Amino acid sequence: MPNPIIKSFWDKPTGSWQYVFHDPETMKGAIVDPVLGYDPLAGAVDTIRANEILDYITEAGIEIVWILDTHPHADHFSAASYLKGKLGAPTAIGEHVVKVQALWKDIYNLGDEFRTDGSQWDRLFKDGERFNVGHMPVTVFFSPGHTMASITYVVGNAAFVHDTLMMPDSGSSRADFPGGNSRELYRSVRRILELPFDTRLFVGHDYAPEGRAPSCEATVREHLASNKHFKGLPTEEHFVRVRDARDATLPLPKLMLAALQVNIRGGRLPEPEGNGRSYLKIPVGYFESRQESA
Protein backbone atom coordinates (compact mmCIF):
# COMPACT_ATOMS: atom_id res chain seq x y z
CA MET A 1 0.00 0.00 0.00
CA PRO A 2 1.42 3.42 -0.90
CA ASN A 3 1.87 6.06 1.76
CA PRO A 4 0.19 9.40 1.08
CA ILE A 5 1.92 12.50 -0.20
CA ILE A 6 0.87 15.26 2.18
CA LYS A 7 0.86 19.03 1.66
CA SER A 8 0.10 21.25 4.65
CA PHE A 9 -1.29 24.78 4.65
CA TRP A 10 -1.14 27.01 7.73
CA ASP A 11 -3.70 29.71 8.44
CA LYS A 12 -1.86 32.20 10.63
CA PRO A 13 -4.88 34.20 11.94
CA THR A 14 -6.42 31.07 13.50
CA GLY A 15 -3.32 28.90 13.91
CA SER A 16 -5.09 26.22 11.88
CA TRP A 17 -3.59 23.51 9.69
CA GLN A 18 -5.27 22.32 6.49
CA TYR A 19 -4.09 19.37 4.45
CA VAL A 20 -4.21 17.81 1.03
CA PHE A 21 -3.10 14.19 0.78
CA HIS A 22 -2.96 12.08 -2.35
CA ASP A 23 -2.10 8.65 -3.68
CA PRO A 24 1.10 8.98 -5.75
CA GLU A 25 0.04 6.07 -7.98
CA THR A 26 -3.39 7.33 -9.03
CA MET A 27 -3.03 11.06 -8.18
CA LYS A 28 -6.40 10.93 -6.43
CA GLY A 29 -6.53 12.92 -3.23
CA ALA A 30 -8.52 14.41 -0.37
CA ILE A 31 -8.68 17.73 1.46
CA VAL A 32 -8.81 17.77 5.28
CA ASP A 33 -10.24 20.65 7.35
CA PRO A 34 -10.06 23.53 4.85
CA VAL A 35 -10.41 27.08 6.22
CA LEU A 36 -12.72 29.84 5.04
CA GLY A 37 -11.39 33.24 6.12
CA TYR A 38 -13.52 35.47 8.33
CA ASP A 39 -12.92 39.00 9.63
CA PRO A 40 -15.15 39.41 12.71
CA LEU A 41 -14.78 43.19 12.80
CA ALA A 42 -16.04 43.59 9.24
CA GLY A 43 -18.23 40.49 9.06
CA ALA A 44 -16.36 39.68 5.85
CA VAL A 45 -15.68 36.20 4.48
CA ASP A 46 -12.80 35.38 2.13
CA THR A 47 -11.56 32.34 0.23
CA ILE A 48 -7.83 33.14 0.23
CA ARG A 49 -6.69 29.93 1.96
CA ALA A 50 -9.13 27.72 0.06
CA ASN A 51 -7.92 29.19 -3.22
CA GLU A 52 -4.33 28.35 -2.27
CA ILE A 53 -5.47 24.73 -1.99
CA LEU A 54 -7.17 24.94 -5.39
CA ASP A 55 -3.99 26.35 -6.95
CA TYR A 56 -1.89 23.56 -5.43
CA ILE A 57 -4.08 20.69 -6.61
CA THR A 58 -4.27 22.18 -10.10
CA GLU A 59 -0.50 22.58 -10.35
CA ALA A 60 0.14 19.10 -8.92
CA GLY A 61 -2.47 17.41 -11.10
CA ILE A 62 -4.43 15.93 -8.19
CA GLU A 63 -8.03 14.77 -8.58
CA ILE A 64 -9.84 15.46 -5.31
CA VAL A 65 -12.29 12.69 -4.47
CA TRP A 66 -13.16 13.67 -0.86
CA ILE A 67 -13.43 16.87 1.19
CA LEU A 68 -13.13 15.79 4.83
CA ASP A 69 -14.01 17.56 8.06
CA THR A 70 -12.76 16.08 11.33
CA HIS A 71 -15.35 17.95 13.44
CA PRO A 72 -17.29 21.24 13.52
CA HIS A 73 -14.54 23.70 14.38
CA ALA A 74 -14.88 26.47 16.98
CA ASP A 75 -12.15 28.79 15.78
CA HIS A 76 -12.55 29.03 12.01
CA PHE A 77 -15.14 28.60 9.30
CA SER A 78 -15.00 25.44 7.20
CA ALA A 79 -14.40 25.90 3.47
CA ALA A 80 -15.83 22.44 2.67
CA SER A 81 -18.95 23.77 0.97
CA TYR A 82 -17.00 26.33 -1.07
CA LEU A 83 -14.53 23.70 -2.28
CA LYS A 84 -17.30 21.26 -3.11
CA GLY A 85 -18.78 23.95 -5.35
CA LYS A 86 -15.45 24.30 -7.13
CA LEU A 87 -14.45 20.63 -7.32
CA GLY A 88 -17.66 18.62 -7.17
CA ALA A 89 -16.14 16.21 -4.64
CA PRO A 90 -18.34 14.81 -1.85
CA THR A 91 -18.02 16.09 1.71
CA ALA A 92 -17.87 13.95 4.86
CA ILE A 93 -17.65 14.12 8.64
CA GLY A 94 -18.25 11.73 11.57
CA GLU A 95 -21.77 10.48 12.27
CA HIS A 96 -21.89 12.06 15.74
CA VAL A 97 -22.06 15.51 14.18
CA VAL A 98 -25.82 15.18 14.64
CA LYS A 99 -25.29 15.50 18.42
CA VAL A 100 -23.32 18.72 17.93
CA GLN A 101 -26.00 20.03 15.60
CA ALA A 102 -28.74 19.33 18.14
CA LEU A 103 -26.76 20.98 20.95
CA TRP A 104 -26.00 24.15 19.02
CA LYS A 105 -29.46 24.32 17.44
CA ASP A 106 -30.73 24.81 20.99
CA ILE A 107 -28.00 27.32 21.88
CA TYR A 108 -28.74 29.41 18.76
CA ASN A 109 -32.52 28.84 19.00
CA LEU A 110 -32.65 27.80 15.35
CA GLY A 111 -36.00 27.02 13.80
CA ASP A 112 -37.40 23.76 12.52
CA GLU A 113 -35.96 24.50 9.09
CA PHE A 114 -32.48 23.68 10.46
CA ARG A 115 -31.97 19.93 10.09
CA THR A 116 -29.98 18.00 12.71
CA ASP A 117 -29.57 14.85 10.63
CA GLY A 118 -26.13 15.56 9.15
CA SER A 119 -27.61 15.99 5.68
CA GLN A 120 -25.39 19.04 5.14
CA TRP A 121 -22.62 16.53 4.30
CA ASP A 122 -22.67 13.82 1.65
CA ARG A 123 -21.51 11.09 4.02
CA LEU A 124 -21.36 10.49 7.76
CA PHE A 125 -18.61 8.06 8.80
CA LYS A 126 -18.92 5.49 11.57
CA ASP A 127 -16.10 4.42 13.86
CA GLY A 128 -13.94 1.84 12.08
CA GLU A 129 -15.40 2.57 8.66
CA ARG A 130 -13.02 2.43 5.68
CA PHE A 131 -13.04 4.16 2.34
CA ASN A 132 -10.48 4.60 -0.43
CA VAL A 133 -8.56 7.52 -1.85
CA GLY A 134 -7.08 6.04 -4.98
CA HIS A 135 -5.47 2.77 -3.93
CA MET A 136 -5.06 3.92 -0.33
CA PRO A 137 -7.56 2.72 2.29
CA VAL A 138 -8.50 5.32 4.89
CA THR A 139 -9.74 4.20 8.32
CA VAL A 140 -11.94 6.38 10.53
CA PHE A 141 -11.34 6.52 14.30
CA PHE A 142 -14.04 8.05 16.47
CA SER A 143 -11.96 10.28 18.78
CA PRO A 144 -14.22 12.44 20.96
CA GLY A 145 -13.28 14.69 23.85
CA HIS A 146 -12.51 17.97 22.16
CA THR A 147 -16.01 17.70 20.69
CA MET A 148 -18.66 14.98 20.69
CA ALA A 149 -18.18 14.41 16.96
CA SER A 150 -14.41 14.41 16.46
CA ILE A 151 -12.88 11.75 14.21
CA THR A 152 -9.36 10.88 13.05
CA TYR A 153 -8.45 9.76 9.53
CA VAL A 154 -5.69 7.13 9.33
CA VAL A 155 -4.12 6.50 5.92
CA GLY A 156 -0.88 4.58 5.37
CA ASN A 157 1.77 5.92 7.74
CA ALA A 158 -0.19 9.10 8.52
CA ALA A 159 -3.08 10.09 10.79
CA PHE A 160 -4.96 13.38 10.79
CA VAL A 161 -5.72 13.75 14.49
CA HIS A 162 -7.56 17.11 14.39
CA ASP A 163 -7.74 18.78 17.83
CA THR A 164 -6.97 15.83 20.08
CA LEU A 165 -3.22 16.34 20.20
CA MET A 166 -1.21 19.49 19.67
CA MET A 167 2.50 19.43 18.89
CA PRO A 168 4.49 17.75 21.70
CA ASP A 169 5.54 21.02 23.34
CA SER A 170 1.87 22.08 23.61
CA GLY A 171 0.38 18.76 24.70
CA SER A 172 -3.31 18.23 24.00
CA SER A 173 -6.29 20.35 22.98
CA ARG A 174 -8.92 21.73 25.31
CA ALA A 175 -12.03 19.77 26.27
CA ASP A 176 -14.25 22.47 27.80
CA PHE A 177 -16.47 23.39 24.85
CA PRO A 178 -20.17 22.39 25.03
CA GLY A 179 -20.16 18.60 24.68
CA GLY A 180 -16.41 18.30 25.35
CA ASN A 181 -15.06 15.86 27.92
CA SER A 182 -11.51 15.49 29.21
CA ARG A 183 -11.93 11.80 30.06
CA GLU A 184 -13.05 11.00 26.54
CA LEU A 185 -10.16 13.08 25.21
CA TYR A 186 -7.70 11.03 27.24
CA ARG A 187 -9.08 7.76 25.89
CA SER A 188 -9.04 9.09 22.33
CA VAL A 189 -5.41 10.13 22.59
CA ARG A 190 -4.42 6.79 24.11
CA ARG A 191 -6.06 5.03 21.15
CA ILE A 192 -4.16 7.23 18.70
CA LEU A 193 -0.87 6.59 20.51
CA GLU A 194 -1.39 2.84 20.03
CA LEU A 195 -0.76 3.31 16.30
CA PRO A 196 2.67 2.13 15.04
CA PHE A 197 5.56 4.21 16.42
CA ASP A 198 6.47 5.67 13.03
CA THR A 199 2.95 6.88 12.26
CA ARG A 200 3.03 10.59 11.45
CA LEU A 201 0.40 12.51 13.42
CA PHE A 202 -0.83 15.69 11.73
CA VAL A 203 -2.45 18.15 14.14
CA GLY A 204 -5.25 20.63 13.56
CA HIS A 205 -3.60 23.63 15.23
CA ASP A 206 -0.28 25.04 16.27
CA TYR A 207 0.19 28.37 17.99
CA ALA A 208 4.00 28.30 17.74
CA PRO A 209 4.86 28.79 21.44
CA GLU A 210 7.98 30.67 22.46
CA GLY A 211 8.47 32.05 18.97
CA ARG A 212 9.33 28.80 17.21
CA ALA A 213 8.22 28.22 13.61
CA PRO A 214 4.73 26.74 13.17
CA SER A 215 4.79 22.95 12.90
CA CYS A 216 2.17 20.31 12.13
CA GLU A 217 3.74 16.84 12.30
CA ALA A 218 5.28 14.52 14.88
CA THR A 219 5.39 10.73 15.09
CA VAL A 220 3.74 8.56 17.70
CA ARG A 221 7.23 7.81 19.01
CA GLU A 222 7.97 11.53 19.41
CA HIS A 223 4.71 12.14 21.26
CA LEU A 224 5.35 9.23 23.63
CA ALA A 225 8.84 10.59 24.32
CA SER A 226 8.10 14.28 24.77
CA ASN A 227 4.43 15.28 24.59
CA LYS A 228 3.74 17.75 27.38
CA HIS A 229 0.63 15.89 28.55
CA PHE A 230 1.31 12.30 27.49
CA LYS A 231 5.02 11.67 28.04
CA GLY A 232 5.24 8.54 30.14
CA LEU A 233 1.52 7.84 29.60
CA PRO A 234 -0.02 9.42 32.70
CA THR A 235 -3.11 7.97 34.34
CA GLU A 236 -6.52 9.17 33.26
CA GLU A 237 -7.06 10.87 36.63
CA HIS A 238 -3.80 12.80 36.37
CA PHE A 239 -4.55 13.96 32.83
CA VAL A 240 -8.10 15.03 33.73
CA ARG A 241 -6.81 17.15 36.62
CA VAL A 242 -4.21 18.84 34.43
CA ARG A 243 -6.51 19.34 31.44
CA ASP A 244 -9.48 20.65 33.43
CA ALA A 245 -7.30 23.04 35.43
CA ARG A 246 -5.79 24.43 32.25
CA ASP A 247 -9.13 24.74 30.50
CA ALA A 248 -10.57 26.74 33.39
CA THR A 249 -8.05 29.52 32.62
CA LEU A 250 -8.72 29.73 28.88
CA PRO A 251 -10.97 32.32 27.22
CA LEU A 252 -13.44 31.06 24.66
CA PRO A 253 -12.17 31.24 21.06
CA LYS A 254 -12.97 34.65 19.62
CA LEU A 255 -14.70 33.16 16.57
CA MET A 256 -16.58 30.35 18.32
CA LEU A 257 -20.05 31.88 18.36
CA ALA A 258 -19.75 32.83 14.71
CA ALA A 259 -17.99 29.67 13.54
CA LEU A 260 -20.24 27.00 15.01
CA GLN A 261 -23.39 28.22 13.31
CA VAL A 262 -21.55 28.05 9.97
CA ASN A 263 -19.81 24.75 10.62
CA ILE A 264 -22.91 22.86 11.80
CA ARG A 265 -24.20 23.76 8.34
CA GLY A 266 -21.22 22.09 6.67
CA GLY A 267 -19.45 25.40 6.03
CA ARG A 268 -22.48 27.30 4.75
CA LEU A 269 -23.64 30.70 5.94
CA PRO A 270 -27.21 30.97 7.23
CA GLU A 271 -29.79 31.38 4.49
CA PRO A 272 -29.92 34.98 3.20
CA GLU A 273 -32.75 37.10 4.49
CA GLY A 274 -35.07 39.30 2.43
CA ASN A 275 -32.32 41.78 1.59
CA GLY A 276 -30.04 39.04 0.25
CA ARG A 277 -27.61 39.12 3.21
CA SER A 278 -26.81 36.39 5.72
CA TYR A 279 -26.75 37.18 9.43
CA LEU A 280 -24.99 35.46 12.33
CA LYS A 281 -26.67 35.16 15.74
CA ILE A 282 -25.00 35.68 19.12
CA PRO A 283 -26.60 33.89 22.11
CA VAL A 284 -26.23 36.73 24.61
CA GLY A 285 -25.82 35.53 28.18
CA TYR A 286 -25.54 31.80 27.44
CA PHE A 287 -21.82 31.66 28.27
CA GLU A 288 -20.17 33.27 31.27
CA SER A 289 -17.49 35.84 30.55
CA ARG A 290 -13.91 34.63 30.89
CA GLN A 291 -12.30 38.03 30.49
CA GLU A 292 -10.05 39.20 33.29
CA SER A 293 -11.46 42.09 35.27
CA ALA A 294 -9.57 45.36 35.13
Side-chain angles (χ1 to χ4, degrees):
M1 181 183 68
N3 287 315
I5 304 299
I6 299 170
K7 172 69 173 177
S8 59
F9 300 82
W10 192 55
D11 180 58
K12 183 177 180 180
T14 63
S16 302
W17 284 105
Q18 315 156 88
Y19 301 97
V20 175
F21 70 87
H22 74 271
D23 174 4
E25 294 182 357
T26 65
M27 295 304 292
K28 295 184 185 297
I31 299 169
V32 181
D33 286 338
V35 171
L36 195 67
Y38 178 65
D39 179 350
L41 299 181
V45 174
D46 71 73
T47 58
I48 294 172
R49 295 291 175 250
N51 289 338
E52 289 176 356
I53 290 175
L54 291 174
D55 290 343
Y56 166 72
I57 63 177
T58 298
E59 293 169 4
I62 299 168
E63 177 189 354
I64 296 298
V65 296
W66 283 104
I67 301 168
L68 306 172
D69 281 320
T70 56
H71 65 291
H73 300 270
D75 46 16
H76 68 260
F77 291 12
S78 170
S81 179
Y82 170 75
L83 289 170
K84 177 181 178 177
K86 294 293 185 180
L87 299 168
T91 58
I93 198 168
E95 65 174 342
H96 293 287
V97 72
V98 298
K99 298 178 183 178
V100 178
Q101 288 181 313
L103 173 64
W104 284 89
K105 178 179 181 176
D106 178 66
I107 292 173
Y108 290 123
N109 194 33
L110 302 178
D112 292 339
E113 68 278 5
F114 177 71
R115 301 185 304 277
T116 59
D117 58 1
S119 58
Q120 297 84 353
W121 290 265
D122 296 302
R123 185 162 169 182
L124 303 182
F125 289 124
K126 300 179 183 296
D127 182 46
E129 192 166 352
R130 301 183 82 184
F131 62 99
N132 272 38
V133 173
H135 294 155
M136 301 184 304
V138 183
T139 302
V140 176
F141 280 13
F142 179 45
S143 46
H146 178 66
T147 77
M148 295 186 289
S150 299
I151 59 175
T152 291
Y153 297 102
V154 182
V155 51
N157 66 352
F160 299 91
V161 301
H162 64 91
D163 301 349
T164 50
L165 286 165
M166 304 285 278
M167 291 303 293
D169 58 353
S170 296
S172 61
S173 290
R174 62 196 298 173
D176 62 323
F177 297 155
N181 185 288
S182 57
R183 292 188 182 278
E184 290 186 341
L185 180 63
Y186 176 85
R187 295 164 192 170
S188 294
V189 173
R190 287 297 304 265
R191 182 182 185 188
I192 289 168
L193 293 179
E194 289 173 357
L195 290 166
F197 286 160
D198 292 333
T199 304
R200 300 176 291 160
L201 305 183
F202 291 87
V203 300
H205 292 280
D206 186 39
Y207 304 111
E210 300 183 3
R212 66 160 170 76
S215 186
C216 65
E217 172 188 353
T219 64
V220 168
R221 179 181 285 106
E222 289 168 331
H223 278 282
L224 289 170
S226 62
N227 183 280
K228 182 177 178 180
H229 293 154
F230 282 90
K231 178 182 179 181
L233 295 179
T235 65
E236 181 175 316
E237 294 301 325
H238 175 81
F239 172 80
V240 167
R241 286 196 301 272
V242 171
R243 184 70 267 169
D244 289 352
R246 172 61 175 159
D247 289 349
T249 71
L250 298 175
L252 294 174
K254 65 180 181 179
L255 296 187
M256 184 177 78
L257 297 182
L260 261 299
Q261 60 195 292
V262 172
N263 294 338
I264 59 174
R265 292 178 166 94
R268 299 171 183 85
L269 295 172
E271 286 295 315
E273 298 188 8
N275 61 0
R277 295 191 182 94
S278 294
Y279 291 84
L280 299 174
K281 299 175 70 175
I282 299 297
V284 177
Y286 183 88
F287 295 95
E288 293 183 2
S289 176
R290 298 191 182 185
Q291 297 184 45
E292 293 184 6
S293 58

